[in-house]
Amino acid sequence: MVAFALLFRSLWHILKILFRQEEQKAIMLAVLFILTIGTIFYHNVEGMTYLDALYFSVMTLATVGYGDLSPQTALGKVFTIIYVLIGVGIITAVIANFNRALAEYHKRKKHKEAKE
């Protein structure tokens, strides 16, 4: 339980570092935007429920692709191709910024420990 608390505390500090960056705020808005677009599209064109459409959008952008849901229309398939090409780049930017924040956190932690 203590290890979980320490992990949560470290993650909290990393997220604070991350969201001080204007670039990260813009990327998170882009993620929210692309998930909204995907959810609305799959709901309206493919006839999925909003929850299924959101689930499919997240699984697609995460490149998990369980295969339990898939686009059935030609328009849905074309949209998914474009959606993945754009979305994977955005998700990659989120991961890269998280890694940068993680490195900065460890750098600050080392610097703080060196002072003590």
Side-chain angles (χ1 to χ4, degrees):
M1 186 68 168
V2 173
F4 178 74
L6 291 174
L7 176 66
F8 184 75
R9 182 174 173 232
S10 296
L11 182 60
W12 177 253
H13 289 293
I14 293 165
L15 290 174
K16 282 179 19 184
I17 292 168
L18 196 58
F19 283 101
R20 283 190 202 127
Q21 302 169 358
E22 290 301 316
E23 177 186 349
Q24 183 61 28
K25 292 175 188 175
I27 291 171
M28 292 310 290
L29 281 175
V31 168
L32 183 62
F33 178 74
I34 198 162
L35 286 175
T36 302
I37 294 297
T39 301
I40 291 169
F41 177 86
Y42 292 122
H43 173 74
N44 291 331
V45 174
E46 294 294 326
M48 296 178 183
T49 66
Y50 282 111
L51 181 58
D52 282 345
L54 176 61
Y55 167 79
F56 182 69
S57 297
V58 170
M59 291 302 111
T60 300
L61 293 183
T63 67
V64 173
Y66 287 127
D68 52 345
L69 297 173
S70 62
Q72 302 302 310
T73 65
L75 180 59
K77 291 174 184 177
V78 169
F79 175 82
T80 302
I81 291 168
I82 296 166
Y83 187 71
V84 167
L85 293 174
I86 293 169
V88 167
I90 293 171
I91 298 300
T92 301
V94 169
I95 294 168
N97 278 354
F98 184 83
N99 285 338
R100 248 185 264 135
L102 182 63
E104 185 177 332
Y105 168 74
H106 285 295
K107 185 178 175 183
R108 288 181 183 182
K109 191 175 175 182
K110 274 187 175 180
H111 184 69
K112 184 179 176 182
E113 288 172 358
K115 282 185 173 181
E116 295 174 353

